[in-house]
């Protein structure tokens, strides 16, 4: 089973669910009456996004974007491109960008830069996990589920070689799996 590949369970299924419910309650208050456009960044965000929006009680709209980075080249150049764009205009809209993890910050920095050009009424960031030790760009999320150490975390949308995304908990992968 996949659980055997974990060094540790960082947050259990129940802890993740409770945290996302609390985030949803906060967002319900903060976006009351504003019909926010909730934008998920594929692919990692889809599980968090699905749980999050079901915890938000105020009307909203959904859309998705995808960003691509270019392997090891991206590590040195920080080159990130938008690969799938929004369906609708966001001018004057309250946009909430949803991600599974804020790591180096390159992906969200690029997306924020791109979306700000379109003059949304507001643009906020909501991430399940924040790994501040890894940051190379100056960016902070407005809503953070959990702040995590610099470990190989998987589950709740986060993958290793496209695996483990469906795990309902946040686990730390055993080094023997990825080394
Ligand atoms: C992961 C994650 C974020 C990004 C965060 O995506 O989903 O999009 O990396 O890292 P950063 O802060 O260093 O930019 P990945 O490129 O692995 O694609 P995925 O969403 O398909 O998993």
């Amino acid at each position: 089973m996949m659980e055997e590949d974990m060094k540790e369970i960082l947050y259990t299924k129940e802890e993740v669910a409770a945290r996302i419910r609390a985030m949803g309650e906060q967002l319900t208050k903060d976006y009351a009456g504003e019909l926010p456009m909730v934008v998920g960044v594929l692919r990692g965000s889809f599980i968090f996004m699905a749980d999050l929006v079901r915890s938000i009680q105020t009307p909203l709209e959904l859309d998705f974007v995808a960003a691509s980075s270019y392997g090891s080249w991206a590590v040195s150049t920080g080159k990130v491109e938008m690969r799938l764009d929004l369906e609708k205009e966001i001018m004057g809209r309250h946009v909430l960008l949803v991600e599974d993890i804020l790591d180096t910050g390159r992906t969200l920095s690029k997306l924020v830069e791109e979306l700000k050009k379109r003059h949304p009424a507001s643009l906020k960031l909501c991430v399940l996990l924040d790994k501040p030790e890894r940051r190379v760009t100056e960016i902070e999320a407005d809503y953070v589920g959990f702040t995590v150490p610099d470990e190989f975390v998987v589950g709740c949308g986060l993958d290793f070689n496209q695996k483990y995304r469906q795990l309902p908990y946040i686990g730390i992968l055993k080094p023997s799996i990825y080394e």
Side-chain angles (χ1 to χ4, degrees):
M1 289 306 284
M2 284 179 286
E3 198 160 334
E4 290 161 11
D5 297 347
M6 301 302 136
K7 183 174 89 176
E8 191 188 324
I9 307 289
L10 201 51
Y11 295 105
T12 63
K13 178 182 175 175
E14 291 73 24
E15 286 169 329
V16 170
R19 184 70 191 111
I20 297 176
R21 263 199 310 277
M23 295 173 89
E25 282 167 21
Q26 184 65 50
L27 290 162
T28 300
K29 289 183 195 146
D30 294 357
Y31 285 97
E34 288 183 337
L35 192 67
M37 176 67 79
V38 181
V39 176
V41 184
L42 295 172
R43 279 176 292 248
S45 71
F46 84 107
I47 288 179
F48 172 46
M49 172 109 159
D51 288 341
L52 186 71
V53 295
R54 283 180 291 179
S55 295
I56 300 177
Q57 304 298 321
T58 193
L60 52 81
E61 290 183 30
L62 292 180
D63 206 345
F64 292 93
V65 294
S68 59
S69 49
Y70 294 93
S72 54
W73 185 48
V75 174
S76 52
T77 64
K79 179 90 178 150
V80 176
E81 272 181 12
M82 211 154 151
R83 210 172 33 180
L84 169 75
D85 205 338
L86 295 168
E87 187 80 22
K88 284 167 89 177
E89 299 274 324
I90 53 164
M91 188 185 282
R93 298 292 305 268
H94 293 282
V95 176
L96 181 68
L97 206 47
V98 176
E99 257 290 27
D100 53 348
I101 187 165
L102 179 54
D103 191 13
T104 66
R106 287 191 174 111
T107 307
L108 279 178
S109 294
K110 177 66 187 179
L111 289 173
V112 165
E113 182 192 314
E114 199 54 46
L115 296 180
K116 274 192 171 163
K117 290 180 193 162
R118 305 176 191 185
H119 307 290
S122 69
L123 177 55
K124 287 188 176 176
L125 306 179
C126 179
V127 300
L128 178 60
L129 305 182
D130 184 12
K131 211 190 252 185
E133 284 171 55
R134 293 254 307 160
R135 205 81 89 249
V136 299
T137 64
E138 252 184 63
I139 184 165
E140 292 303 324
D142 301 277
Y143 302 92
V144 174
F146 303 103
T147 300
V148 296
D150 188 9
E151 299 260 20
F152 207 128
V153 284
V154 293
C156 300
L158 290 137
D159 72 307
F160 166 60
N161 275 349
Q162 302 303 330
K163 281 172 65 190
Y164 307 106
R165 288 192 202 269
Q166 84 267 39
L167 297 178
Y169 52 82
I170 300 290
I172 297 179
L173 211 52
K174 281 181 183 161
S176 57
I177 304 294
Y178 57 85
E179 273 169 357

